[in-house]
Amino acid sequence: MLNKSINNVVALVTGQSVNLALNLISISLAARYLGVESFGKFSALLAIVTFISKLFDFGFPSIVFRELSLRHTDYKFLNSAIFITIISFLVTGVTLNVLIMIFNTSFTEVLLLNLLLFNTLLSAKFNNMRDLLNAPFKVSLRMNIPMMIVVLDNIIFLIIILFMPVFKEGLRYFIFGYVFSNLPGFLIMFIFLVRKFNFRLKFNLSGAKWLFKEALPLYGYLILDSLFQLLDIIIIKYFHGNYDVGIYSVSVRLVAPLLVIPYAVIQTIFPRIVQNLNSLNSPNENIIITVYKILFGFAATISILFTFKSQEIVTLLFGLNYQNSSISTSILFWSQIFIYYSYFTINLFLAYHKQSLIFKYAVVILIINILLNLILIPQTSYIGASIAKIAAALLGSVYIMTMHYKLKKKLYFLNVRMLIWSTIILIFCFLSSHLPLVPYFIIAPLLIFFCMIFIRYFTKDEVLLFFKLINKPQMASYLLKFY
């Protein structure tokens, strides 16, 4: 079990890192080829379709994952979720096309919207069909297969992007590539699901009623969270147009993929937490505290490293036309500290069967975000949007701490050592920022790592727990000699 956990973490981290790099290269090239205006138009269309996709998501993937963690070979709920998703997708697609015909939308926009909507079924970027198909791989800790398939998706997409200057079709070519690069991977994924897990696709709606009942609060959360993530783009477009959307979208594109960090950790430990809930002397509390500290360490490190070189990084990746996005990007990076905390706690609520708390949290942060966006965006555009997001994330994390406390669960976010470590690395990175970009990204991370050891960011028990999880307790014994 330990070796499978290690391999799963390695597969997730490696696969997500490779996919992050490939996607970043593809999007940065596409942003240069399209220009700020067209890239902003694509981002606005994608925001609309992303929200629409949540209408037929229903929160099923998380519920199916939880139930398969308990009954590994019972695919009743998985089949029900697949067919409900397909039926709902078709209904949503027909409704969307009727509405866009009423509003006299241009043929090009109709075509692009339908392509992007179709992509919500094919792509791993959306938590719809591909996330349902992933569930057996997550439970069995064999995420190396889905990760390799997503790498294939991104390689195909990168190849398509490299030919953009040749075909000179601009936005239409880009969106065609964005969609159809996912088709081979989708088909391969289904083949592996059948062969590795003996899965058979059967029309089965017997578990539909129970699924809807369990997923309803989570469904509400997904709708509201989607609005939280995307409403600022719509408001920026309304007040300032596609150009400002393009600038802000670069910030979102740089920051959003970092959710792979908590995703990779949670997908590995979630089945264990669920299985330990009813165990005597459950190790869950120690695991949860350690995960909180790991996520804070990642978020703080990335935020601090980026902040002092933000303009250079943005210009290097996307070109001079996008350099104005550096400030908003830095603010969004800092918001990840609170988002990581809330993201993990939300998954704990799911394990505790407290989905209603997840919905309440989504309502709170959405209301805060909307009010702040409407106040700040008209005057300060994308800077105001990023400030609104970090403020909502901060207040949301405070609210979710309160809910967690009411469940009589131990609260954990910061301690003195973590604050000291954060202050020291902030000073280190500021001093190192006078170096050129490459030396900075070599020296600063090393200083951060050694500072973590010197300050004893993790306790002895947490170090021992971590190395037990990766099946290397002898390394813990050696390292603990220095504590």
Side-chain angles (χ1 to χ4, degrees), residues 42 171 179 186 204-205 222 224-225 335 360 385 390 456 463:
F42 160 72
L171 188 58
V179 175
F186 178 84
N204 179 6
L205 298 179
L222 290 170
L224 298 176
D225 183 64
S335 71
K360 291 176 183 177
I390 192 173
R456 298 178 185 177
V463 171

Side-chain angles (χ1 to χ4, degrees), residues 162-310:
L162 290 174
F163 281 93
M164 276 188 74
V166 176
F167 289 95
K168 298 179 181 179
E169 288 294 324
L171 188 58
R172 283 184 298 179
Y173 175 86
F174 171 69
I175 291 182
F176 268 101
Y178 187 78
V179 175
F180 289 105
S181 60
N182 298 296
L183 183 57
F186 178 84
L187 297 175
I188 294 170
M189 182 75 183
F190 196 84
I191 292 170
F192 269 106
L193 186 63
V194 171
R195 291 185 177 179
K196 294 291 182 181
F197 299 98
N198 198 31
F199 173 74
R200 294 292 180 268
L201 186 64
K202 298 177 181 178
F203 185 78
N204 179 6
L205 298 179
S206 61
K209 183 178 179 180
W210 184 89
L211 268 176
F212 276 112
K213 180 182 177 182
E214 286 292 301
L216 185 60
L218 198 58
Y219 177 51
Y221 162 75
L222 290 170
I223 296 292
L224 298 176
D225 183 64
S226 179
L227 284 171
F228 172 73
Q229 299 295 338
L230 305 170
L231 197 60
D232 46 11
I233 291 177
I234 304 301
I235 297 174
I236 291 171
K237 180 178 172 61
Y238 177 80
F239 283 103
H240 300 280
N242 285 328
Y243 183 89
D244 282 31
V245 171
I247 295 295
Y248 184 66
S249 296
V250 162
S251 301
V252 174
R253 287 281 174 180
L254 282 171
V255 175
L258 293 179
L259 274 178
V260 302
I261 296 170
Y263 177 85
V265 175
I266 291 166
Q267 296 308 311
T268 299
I269 61 96
F270 185 82
R272 183 173 297 185
I273 289 176
V274 172
Q275 292 158 11
N276 289 340
L277 283 177
N278 298 318
S279 303
L280 293 174
N281 301 317
S282 171
N284 274 354
E285 183 175 305
N286 292 332
I287 293 173
I288 289 167
I289 290 172
T290 304
V291 170
Y292 276 133
K293 293 179 79 170
I294 290 171
L295 294 179
F296 177 85
F298 269 117
T301 297
I302 294 168
S303 302
I304 292 170
L305 282 172
F306 180 86
T307 296
F308 293 111
K309 289 288 186 181
S310 59

Side-chain angles (χ1 to χ4, degrees), residues 324-379:
N324 289 337
S325 69
S326 60
I327 297 175
S328 58
T329 307
S330 295
I331 297 171
L332 290 181
F333 267 111
W334 284 99
S335 71
Q336 299 306 293
I337 292 174
F338 310 110
I339 289 173
Y340 280 17
Y341 176 85
S342 299
Y343 185 72
F344 180 51
T345 309
I346 283 168
N347 279 271
L348 293 180
F349 289 163
L350 179 61
Y352 304 148
H353 291 257
K354 297 293 183 180
Q355 293 93 300
S356 61
L357 298 180
I358 299 174
F359 177 74
K360 291 176 183 177
Y361 161 77
V363 171
V364 170
I365 62 168
L366 180 62
I367 292 172
I368 295 170
N369 193 235
I370 290 174
L371 292 174
L372 291 174
N373 276 326
L374 292 175
I375 293 169
L376 296 173
I377 287 177
Q379 299 299 321

Side-chain angles (χ1 to χ4, degrees), residues 64-72 139 270-271 274-275:
V64 170
F65 178 33
R66 187 187 69 192
E67 295 307 309
L68 277 177
S69 296
L70 298 173
R71 294 176 288 275
H72 294 189
V139 171
F270 185 82
V274 172
Q275 292 158 11

Side-chain angles (χ1 to χ4, degrees), residues 293 296 412 414-424 451-460 462 483:
K293 293 179 79 170
F296 177 85
Y412 201 90
L414 284 174
N415 62 24
V416 175
R417 289 186 187 276
M418 293 166 69
L419 287 171
I420 293 172
W421 172 77
S422 303
T423 304
I424 292 174
C451 179
M452 183 173 283
I453 295 175
F454 180 76
I455 295 296
R456 298 178 185 177
Y457 181 88
F458 294 101
T459 67
K460 291 182 179 182
E462 289 161 358
Y483 268 63

Side-chain angles (χ1 to χ4, degrees), residues 27-257:
I27 293 297
S28 62
L29 288 173
R32 290 170 183 264
Y33 295 150
L34 290 172
V36 179
E37 193 80 18
S38 291
F39 187 66
K41 186 175 183 180
F42 160 72
S43 299
L45 290 173
L46 184 63
I48 294 169
V49 170
T50 301
F51 173 72
I52 293 171
S53 73
K54 299 303 176 185
L55 298 178
F56 55 87
D57 180 289
F58 300 114
F60 290 161
S62 297
I63 301 298
V64 170
F65 178 33
R66 187 187 69 192
E67 295 307 309
L68 277 177
S69 296
L70 298 173
R71 294 176 288 275
H72 294 189
T73 58
D74 185 356
Y75 297 125
K76 177 178 71 173
F77 294 124
L78 178 57
N79 268 307
S80 295
I82 288 173
F83 280 102
I84 293 170
T85 300
I86 292 172
I87 294 168
S88 302
F89 168 79
L90 294 174
V91 172
T92 304
V94 171
T95 305
L96 174 65
N97 280 278
V98 169
L99 289 174
I100 57 183
M101 288 175 63
I102 292 173
F103 289 102
N104 294 320
T105 309
S106 69
F107 173 76
T108 300
E109 288 187 334
V110 172
L111 175 64
L112 298 183
L113 279 169
N114 277 283
L115 282 171
L116 289 173
L117 186 64
F118 180 54
N119 196 44
T120 62
L121 288 183
L122 300 180
S123 177
K125 297 179 180 70
F126 299 88
N127 294 324
N128 286 335
M129 187 64 72
R130 284 282 278 267
D131 209 27
L132 283 172
L133 301 183
N134 275 345
F137 295 94
K138 294 178 186 177
V139 171
S140 63
L141 301 178
R142 299 170 70 178
M143 283 299 290
N144 57 311
I145 294 173
M147 286 296 99
M148 287 189 292
I149 294 173
V150 178
V151 168
L152 174 64
D153 292 345
N154 284 309
I155 289 173
I156 294 172
F157 182 48
L158 177 57
I159 293 170
I160 290 171
I161 295 302
L162 290 174
F163 281 93
M164 276 188 74
V166 176
F167 289 95
K168 298 179 181 179
E169 288 294 324
L171 188 58
R172 283 184 298 179
Y173 175 86
F174 171 69
I175 291 182
F176 268 101
Y178 187 78
V179 175
F180 289 105
S181 60
N182 298 296
L183 183 57
F186 178 84
L187 297 175
I188 294 170
M189 182 75 183
F190 196 84
I191 292 170
F192 269 106
L193 186 63
V194 171
R195 291 185 177 179
K196 294 291 182 181
F197 299 98
N198 198 31
F199 173 74
R200 294 292 180 268
L201 186 64
K202 298 177 181 178
F203 185 78
N204 179 6
L205 298 179
S206 61
K209 183 178 179 180
W210 184 89
L211 268 176
F212 276 112
K213 180 182 177 182
E214 286 292 301
L216 185 60
L218 198 58
Y219 177 51
Y221 162 75
L222 290 170
I223 296 292
L224 298 176
D225 183 64
S226 179
L227 284 171
F228 172 73
Q229 299 295 338
L230 305 170
L231 197 60
D232 46 11
I233 291 177
I234 304 301
I235 297 174
I236 291 171
K237 180 178 172 61
Y238 177 80
F239 283 103
H240 300 280
N242 285 328
Y243 183 89
D244 282 31
V245 171
I247 295 295
Y248 184 66
S249 296
V250 162
S251 301
V252 174
R253 287 281 174 180
L254 282 171
V255 175

